[in-house]
């Protein structure tokens, strides 16, 4: 299998965690933001990553979107499962995943790229890196006002997740689920921002543990 990705994307990290948890052998191809459209749109009709190319006879040519990739992996190789057997628990896990995907992953992106453009510029001050950050900030409308709203959303989310993980190793049920995978991936860019690591140690401890369970290298900052 081949995963088309941006190496720093937390949504692509989500797909890698799922692949790693399943123990599925795969390779990655890092695409250049902007130019990636030339390759991806003809495969999926979309312009977003990750995209998984199973490269297996009888399987789809390409699967776009991290959630759809996880669903494909679950049907392709059911063990170990990412979906919970109890229907009510699985519904809750799916709801958490959707919330993390649509709201918290976006908030993380805003806060992270604001940090990288300011205090965190020294992490990679290269011209290419700063050019990518500038493109992303313009593309998503990242500015002081939108970042302030994102920070508030993240504070609420991190408080909720800390409470969940303080009482259990898992967000839903008694084992790892798609909700844990999504949380570990979509919050991972915050590991480079010291204030978040200091204020929410429980969350980052679980992010580390989930990466280890999935045999995925830890995100920068951890």
């Amino acid at each position: 299998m081949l995963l088309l990705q941006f190496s720093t994307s937390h949504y692509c990290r989500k797909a890698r965690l799922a692949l790693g948890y399943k123990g599925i052998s795969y390779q990655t191809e890092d695409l250049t933001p902007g130019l990636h459209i030339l390759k991806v749109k003809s495969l999926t009709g979309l312009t977003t990553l990750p995209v998984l190319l199973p490269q297996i006879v009888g399987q789809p040519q390409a699967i776009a979107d991290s959630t759809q990739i996880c669903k494909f992996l679950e049907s392709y190789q059911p063990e170990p499962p990412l979906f919970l057997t109890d229907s009510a628990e699985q519904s809750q896990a799916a709801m958490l995943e959707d919330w993390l995907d649509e709201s918290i992953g976006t908030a993380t992106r805003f806060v992270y790229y604001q940090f990288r453009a300011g205090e965190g510029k020294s992490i990679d001050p290269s011209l290419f890196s700063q050019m990518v950050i500038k493109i992303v900030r313009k593309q998503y409308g990242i500015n002081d006002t939108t970042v302030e709203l994102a920070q508030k959303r993240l504070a609420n989310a991190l408080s909720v997740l800390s409470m969940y993980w303080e009482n259990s190793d898992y967000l839903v049920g008694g084992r790892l689920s798609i909700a844990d995978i999504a949380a570990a991936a979509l919050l991972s860019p915050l590991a480079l921002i010291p204030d978040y690591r200091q204020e929410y140690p429980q969350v980052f401890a679980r992010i580390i543990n989930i990466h280890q369970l999935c045999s995925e290298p830890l995100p920068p900052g951890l």
Side-chain angles (χ1 to χ4, degrees):
M1 294 192 185
L2 178 65
L3 183 69
L4 305 180
Q5 65 166 10
F6 298 138
S7 61
T8 58
S9 164
H10 48 338
Y11 289 95
C12 296
R13 180 177 293 274
K14 179 183 164 191
R16 295 199 306 272
L17 286 173
L19 284 158
Y21 184 65
K22 292 284 188 181
I24 295 173
S25 179
Y26 70 99
Q27 295 179 313
T28 59
E29 182 179 339
D30 295 338
L31 302 184
T32 302
L35 296 179
H36 75 284
I37 296 172
L38 300 175
K39 183 162 190 172
V40 171
K41 194 166 186 180
S42 62
L43 290 170
T44 66
L46 303 174
T47 60
T48 55
L49 292 174
V51 171
L52 182 68
L53 309 181
Q55 301 176 319
I56 299 170
V57 175
Q59 300 296 339
Q61 178 191 9
I63 301 107
D65 183 77
S66 62
T67 296
Q68 297 307 313
I69 289 171
C70 290
K71 289 180 179 178
F72 166 75
L73 296 176
E74 188 76 356
S75 63
Y76 172 73
Q77 183 173 300
E79 296 294 331
L82 280 172
F83 292 4
L84 301 170
T85 53
D86 182 276
S87 60
E89 289 183 344
Q90 176 53 31
S91 293
Q92 185 182 359
M95 181 178 65
L96 280 171
E97 182 202 12
D98 185 65
W99 169 62
L100 288 157
D101 273 355
E102 300 303 323
S103 180
I104 305 311
T106 301
T108 297
R109 178 190 287 129
F110 277 53
V111 170
Y112 172 75
Y113 280 102
Q114 180 83 342
F115 174 74
R116 287 292 310 276
E119 296 175 65
K121 188 174 182 178
S122 60
I123 292 170
D124 184 354
S126 69
L127 181 62
F128 177 76
S129 176
Q130 293 305 307
M131 179 185 69
V132 169
I133 290 169
K134 185 176 181 178
I135 291 171
V136 171
R137 284 170 55 82
K138 183 176 180 180
Q139 178 182 357
Y140 291 104
I142 299 174
N143 55 52
D144 290 346
T145 301
T146 57
V147 168
E148 184 178 356
L149 292 172
Q151 288 171 332
K152 292 177 180 177
R153 197 184 308 164
L154 275 177
N156 290 331
L158 287 163
S159 295
V160 169
L161 293 172
S162 291
M163 182 178 63
Y164 271 98
W165 274 330
E166 186 177 359
N167 296 319
S168 172
D169 285 340
Y170 308 106
L171 292 177
V172 184
R175 62 172 173 79
L176 193 79
S177 76
I178 191 63
D180 298 290
I181 292 285
L186 300 180
L187 293 169
S188 64
L190 301 179
L192 279 170
I193 305 177
D195 288 350
Y196 284 103
R197 290 202 316 273
Q198 292 164 12
E199 191 167 352
Y200 303 100
Q202 181 68 33
V203 169
F204 290 97
R206 286 303 296 149
I207 289 175
I208 290 171
N209 184 250
I210 291 165
H211 277 72
Q212 292 169 338
L213 287 172
C214 298
S215 302
E216 170 70 16
L218 294 179
L222 295 177

